[in-house]
Structure formats: structure tokens, C-alpha cells
Amino acid sequence: MIDFRSDTVTRPTAGMLKAMQEAVVGDDVFGEDPTINELERLSAEMFNMEAGLFCPSGTMTNQIAIKCHTQPGDEVICEALSHVYLYEGGGIASNSGASVQLISGNFGRITADQVAAAVNNKEDVHRPLSRLVSLENTANRGGGTCYNFDDIQLIKEVCLNNNLSLHLDGARVFNAIVAKKEKPEQYGRVFDSVSVCLSKGLGAPVGSVLLGNKDFIKRARRIRKALGGGMRQAGYLAAGALYALKNQVDRLEQDHHHAALIVEALQKKDFVGTIPPVETNIVLFEVKGRFTPKSLVEALALKGILAIAMSPTQVRIVTHLDISESMVKQTIREIESL
Ligand SMILES: *Cc1c(COP(=O)(O)O)cnc(C)c1O
């Protein structure tokens, strides 16, 4: 099977497994796992932030960040299809007791003007207190789209003027960094907190890291414990993540190239409608005419190709570490034959 359902399906590479086996570990709840400490140090350094916190998932890093930044009744501003709102089990409400104001973006991206218009007047007792803006880069439901960094900086200005914190759901921030030729430290300068998934395109089996200043991460560590996310000898997992950060970032370019090749093949088919501009490793396309998303996914599965019906009108294909060039070629042949 050629599995394009998600970039979470990757298996550890031989080099990564070796690094995991050889990891020096300790009890991380006591702060004594040297491999986790190194992962937190290195990732914070890459983003030029003060401190990091290794967590089991990106949902947990996002939810901890939101809880750190808000009080119950405060409002979080985010894009309508954002992961923090749509795919984290209602966590903003259940974990933080926070309200949400949704903005309809441009393929997952929102603008400074939209954020400014979404901020509630803090003198009006009817309205929740706007407290946090959460951005997603790349934007999953936008089709892996990237922000222009200038637009992020304009949003930051609105945040500074309105006493709002700014969080990045950077599940795929390295895809954006590679695609836009950016540097991780740009993000550290602008965001108050950044969540980075190590188990998506980077290819580690488990884990995300939350970055912020020392005081923020100290409070985040307490919340992680309360949510049951304190792990013990998880340095075995952190070793995989460290290996990924050191060896599997630049190769994301290949995933982006593979996605672009698949788009070319899709564009020639009468059953494919709109494809948002593909900038990274996600191809989210509209299906019409002879196929529905469900029937297309079934037809592809019969040919050994797995994709996901993402909405009543869209199918998603994601390229990743375990997709080789020959798999892409075979996929293109199968698409051509449909
Ligand atoms: C995958 C993902 C997350 C985190 O998901 P987990 O499965 O909990 O690690 C967060 N945000 C986005 C945009 C994602 O795609």
C-alpha cells in the first residue's frame, strides 16, 4: 500500500531506531532524562526561545499553551478550520473554559485586519475578553498553505496593541520554513509560544515540543503533569525526535516536490475541481462529476493507494518520508488510468 493518508504514518528510519536504542534516559518527571533535556534545549535554541517542553502529542502542546495563555471565559481568536478548534476534541472548552472567535481565512490563513476586527472591546462587559490569537503554519485544512512572514508580523502588531498573546500551531512549521526559505528563529522573535510536531513530516514516532519563555514553560510543565502528560524514560522517544531535527528537516523539500508532481497529474483529470495552491506536502483537492470523495478514495484503494476523504467535497493526499519517488511515479500512472 502507498499510504498518503497523513504524514503521521511514517516508521522510524534505521538511523533513527539506532539513536533511540542508544539513548541515555532517566526519569523526566524528576527532570533527569538527559535526552529529553537535550531535545528541549536544542529545539528552544533553534527557535531562539528560552525553554522547551516535550509532550506526547501536538494536541497536548496546543492545549497546554492555550491554558497557559488564558483564564476561563477569555476568548481565543483563530481560523474557522484550525486544528485547535476543529480537531482537538473540544479541548479549548473543556481544558481552558475559553470561548472562541472564528475567522474565515484564505486557505487557512487570516490577516491582521481580520484579527483587529475580531478583538472585543474590553470595556464592554457583554463580550468575552480577547486574550489569545492562535495561528497555524502550515495550515492543514488550507491545503498545507504557508503564511507570508510579513503578514505574521502585522498580526503581531495587532496583538501588541491589544494585549493579546500569539501562539503558533506549528505542527508543520518546518514544512513552511523549508518552502519559504525561512529560519526557525524568526518564529521565536514573533510568537509567545510555538508548538512543533516531531511525528509529522519530521518522521519521529511520537511527540511534540512546546516552546516559550522560562516562566511560560514552568507553568506549562505543571499543566502537562495535571493532564497526565508527565512521562518517565521517554528519552527513547526524544532520541528519535532529536535525530529527526538533525537529519530529516532539509529532505522535506523532496516531499514538496512529490506533492507538486501529483498535482500536475490531478490537474489533467475531469473529476478534479479546485486545487488550492500547493506549497508544501499537502494536496487538498475538490472532487466532482464521475467521483465523490468517498468513491475516489475507494477506487484508489483498489489500486493500492490510500488517501482520505477530508470533507463532502475534498480528498487529501499527503507526501512524507515513507513515500519514495517510484511510489509517486506509480501513483501518477494510476491517477492517469482513472
Ligand atoms: C497533527 C496536527 C496537530 C497535532 O496533532 P497530534 O495528533 O495530537 O500530534 C496539531 N495541529 C495540526 C495543524 C496538525 O495537523
Side-chain angles (χ1 to χ4, degrees):
M1 282 292 182
I2 305 177
D3 196 344
F4 290 105
R5 288 172 303 161
S6 173
D7 44 8
T8 55
V9 300
T10 57
R11 310 275 158 78
T13 51
M16 180 181 284
L17 269 180
K18 184 159 180 285
M20 292 170 74
Q21 266 170 350
E22 289 170 0
V24 182
V25 300
D27 188 327
D28 182 53
V29 177
F30 293 159
E32 291 175 1
D33 189 303
T35 310
I36 293 183
N37 292 342
E38 173 58 12
L39 172 66
E40 292 173 347
R41 189 202 63 75
L42 178 76
S43 45
E45 181 187 272
M46 286 173 99
F47 282 80
N48 195 24
M49 296 185 94
E50 286 179 10
L53 183 69
F54 184 54
C55 292
S57 71
T59 297
M60 190 179 278
T61 44
N62 282 332
Q63 290 299 318
I64 290 174
I66 291 165
K67 195 165 172 63
C68 267
H69 287 301
T70 61
Q71 294 296 316
D74 287 351
E75 193 154 88
V76 179
I77 297 170
C78 63
E79 208 274 335
L81 299 177
S82 57
H83 196 281
V84 291
Y85 175 69
L86 216 50
Y87 297 126
E88 299 190 3
I92 297 179
S94 60
N95 295 318
S96 301
S99 174
V100 179
Q101 181 150 178
L102 299 175
I103 296 176
S104 280
N106 170 25
F107 297 117
R109 296 157 302 191
I110 58 179
T111 66
D113 286 346
Q114 286 180 306
V115 173
V119 178
N120 295 327
N121 173 4
K122 62 177 185 296
E123 304 305 328
D124 182 350
V125 295
H126 299 85
R127 310 297 300 271
L129 278 174
S130 306
R131 187 64 202 93
L132 173 68
V133 176
S134 181
L135 304 182
E136 199 173 297
N137 201 27
T138 68
N140 173 25
R141 282 296 304 271
T145 45
C146 306
Y147 275 89
N148 287 322
F149 207 81
D150 292 348
D151 293 333
I152 294 178
Q153 260 154 342
L154 292 174
I155 291 172
K156 174 68 174 181
E157 280 173 35
V158 174
C159 291
L160 288 173
N161 292 337
N162 292 281
N163 194 29
L164 306 175
S165 297
L166 183 59
H167 172 70
L168 177 68
D169 176 355
R172 297 188 180 83
V173 68
F174 278 106
N175 292 90
I177 287 167
V178 167
K180 295 287 221 181
K181 303 198 190 319
E182 295 164 344
K183 297 222 164 12
E185 68 240 32
Q186 291 172 244
Y187 289 83
R189 273 199 292 278
V190 173
F191 287 92
D192 297 295
S193 55
V194 175
S195 158
V196 183
C197 282
L198 304 152
S199 64
K200 293 263 165 82
L202 296 189
V206 178
S208 287
V209 69
L210 178 62
L211 306 171
N213 69 28
K214 279 189 184 136
D215 173 63
F216 175 87
I217 293 298
K218 190 173 169 199
R219 290 185 292 124
R221 199 174 287 278
R222 171 173 283 277
I223 295 169
R224 184 186 70 173
K225 188 70 184 128
L227 294 176
M231 298 185 286
R232 304 295 178 176
Q233 288 73 28
Y236 291 115
L237 303 175
L242 269 171
Y243 182 90
L245 279 178
K246 289 175 184 169
N247 301 287
Q248 294 179 174
V249 171
D250 293 342
R251 62 153 305 287
L252 291 171
E253 182 123 41
Q254 227 170 297
D255 298 343
H256 302 172
H257 176 59
H258 288 163
L261 294 176
I262 291 169
V263 169
E264 274 180 36
L266 286 171
Q267 275 168 338
K268 295 178 193 140
K269 304 306 291 189
D270 62 353
F271 57 84
V272 174
T274 314
I275 312 180
V278 173
E279 299 182 79
T280 56
N281 67 328
I282 298 178
V283 184
L284 185 66
F285 59 98
E286 194 193 356
V287 178
K288 60 178 192 184
R290 295 190 278 132
F291 286 104
T292 64
K294 193 163 166 284
S295 69
L296 180 61
V297 165
E298 285 164 3
L300 286 168
L302 288 176
K303 294 171 179 292
I305 295 163
L306 300 181
I308 277 189
M310 202 66 178
S311 76
T313 56
Q314 293 167 308
V315 166
R316 189 184 78 167
I317 281 177
V318 185
T319 57
H320 52 76
L321 185 61
D322 287 0
I323 297 290
S324 65
E325 196 177 331
S326 67
M327 288 175 177
V328 171
K329 284 187 178 147
Q330 189 184 335
T331 301
I332 289 171
R333 278 195 299 274
E334 297 295 2
I335 290 172
E336 284 168 350
S337 77
L338 280 174

